[in-house]
Amino acid sequence: MRTKSIVIATMAAFSLFAGMAAFTLKGSAAENNEKEVERYRQMLDDPFANPGFLNVERGEQLWHLKRGTKNVSLESCDLGEGPGILKGAYAHLPRYFADAGKVMDLEQRLLWCMDKVQGLDIKPIMAKAFAKPGQTSDMEDLVAFIANKSNGVKISLPLSNPKEKEAYAIGEALFFRRSSLMDFSCATCHGQEGKRIRLQNLPDLATPNPTAIATMVSHPAYRASESELRTMQNRLDGCYKQMRLPAPNYASDANTDLILYMTKQAEGGAIHTPGMKR
């Protein structure tokens, strides 16, 4: 009887050891995978290798293109630094705009300028906000161009306006709000350090930290798995769908508030776009 107990205990210990070994191997494989992904990103981190720079070039052409009923370009659009000034604009968005009476991110502001400055029908633009095979996106191209002009500028969102403070509070509430079939929130995946899905590290976007900075300063980013450049609005759309939630309307106030909250966690990080993602 005692011998049987010893055998059972030995087998249990061996199973536990085997399980721990498997866990270690998985952990090691995950680390190696992440290192290879990072090496891949570094290889593409220059204008001659990152396909996202094609979006930057198309965006520059769109910025100078005269369109709409007023037949003017976007060069007189004020993105917060003054009409036509691009340097630093992306690093200080979302922010409050007095002429619109609301807090806007870059994509919201561009749509506002297309409508008010150019007299352009923005419905077709919004309908094609996200690129897909055979279809480019004016919005993603413009964001890539404008964001790239702020490379090296540190993110700074003072939240000095009451509307900005309100938007931040709403964004925080949305970030932690659990709902839908999965009972997920943004914080479920991005609320603490060390989480991963499959072999992909998940950044902590709930507090100021290096992973939040790395994420927010690198968007818009070229996603190799989709062969397209993606803005943060697009990334939110994908996250909501993964949570089995209907995504907010494109360029909605809800998206802007959430982006404001997450961007604030990356305060002090220097913009570096277009980034490279899996």
Side-chain angles (χ1 to χ4, degrees):
M1 192 72 175
R2 183 182 177 189
T3 302
K4 184 178 180 180
S5 299
I6 293 174
V7 171
I8 292 174
T10 302
M11 292 177 65
F14 178 79
S15 298
L16 177 61
F17 174 79
M20 291 175 64
F23 179 83
T24 301
L25 287 173
K26 289 180 180 178
S28 176
E31 291 175 5
N32 290 336
N33 176 76
E34 188 61 30
K35 288 179 181 178
E36 288 302 310
V37 170
E38 184 58 32
R39 189 168 70 90
Y40 173 64
R41 289 171 181 157
Q42 291 175 357
M43 289 170 61
L44 297 178
D45 191 22
D46 70 72
F48 298 101
N50 187 336
F53 280 92
L54 296 175
N55 299 81
V56 173
E57 292 182 3
R58 290 196 299 266
E60 183 175 12
Q61 294 174 9
L62 288 169
W63 179 255
H64 298 291
L65 180 65
K66 294 180 179 180
R67 295 195 291 182
T69 58
K70 300 180 181 180
N71 193 36
V72 297
S73 71
L74 286 168
E75 292 170 284
S76 61
C77 177
D78 185 354
L79 299 177
E81 304 300 313
I85 299 176
L86 301 181
K87 183 70 173 180
Y90 188 67
H92 304 145
L93 289 167
R95 68 190 299 171
Y96 176 76
F97 289 90
D99 53 8
K102 63 189 299 184
V103 175
M104 295 176 162
D105 78 330
L106 177 56
E107 288 170 82
Q108 269 191 321
R109 186 61 179 176
L110 282 172
L111 288 171
W112 189 91
C113 285
M114 288 175 180
D115 178 32
K116 306 299 182 184
V117 176
Q118 293 184 301
L120 188 66
D121 182 4
I122 62 175
K123 291 182 180 178
I125 303 293
M126 294 178 68
K128 298 180 180 179
F130 303 147
K132 60 184 180 180
Q135 174 185 299
T136 60
S137 162
D138 285 5
M139 295 305 299
E140 291 179 333
D141 291 345
L142 280 165
V143 171
F145 166 65
I146 294 167
N148 179 253
K149 288 296 183 180
S150 287
N151 274 3
V153 180
K154 293 183 178 180
I155 291 175
S156 177
L157 304 178
L159 305 186
S160 56
N161 186 280
K163 290 287 187 181
E164 293 170 345
K165 295 176 182 177
E166 180 184 23
Y168 178 87
I170 294 173
E172 182 178 24
L174 288 171
F175 187 86
F176 288 98
R177 186 177 187 274
R178 302 175 71 100
S179 55
S180 190
L181 299 174
M182 308 293 288
D183 193 34
F184 273 15
S185 70
C186 300
T188 302
C189 291
H190 300 288
Q192 65 185 70
E193 287 283 356
K195 287 191 174 183
R196 66 169 60 241
I197 181 168
R198 296 182 294 276
L199 295 179
Q200 177 67 45
N201 288 331
L202 296 172
D204 175 10
L205 301 175
T207 58
N209 68 86
T211 59
I213 290 175
T215 298
M216 302 308 294
V217 302
S218 59
H219 275 84
Y222 183 82
R223 293 205 60 162
S225 60
E226 298 179 5
S227 299
E228 299 287 356
L229 178 130
R230 297 306 189 194
T231 65
M232 186 52 68
Q233 288 265 357
N234 181 283
R235 181 63 269 176
L236 290 181
D237 186 84
C239 283
Y240 273 111
K241 289 176 180 176
Q242 289 179 32
M243 290 191 289
R244 306 300 187 266
L245 273 168
N249 293 334
Y250 173 71
S252 67
D253 292 343
N255 274 354
T256 293
D257 295 346
L258 191 51
I259 290 171
L260 173 61
Y261 172 75
M262 295 189 300
T263 304
K264 185 63 177 176
Q265 311 314 315
E267 187 96 0
I271 299 295
H272 183 72
T273 64
M276 173 62 63
K277 307 294 180 182
R278 290 182 61 181

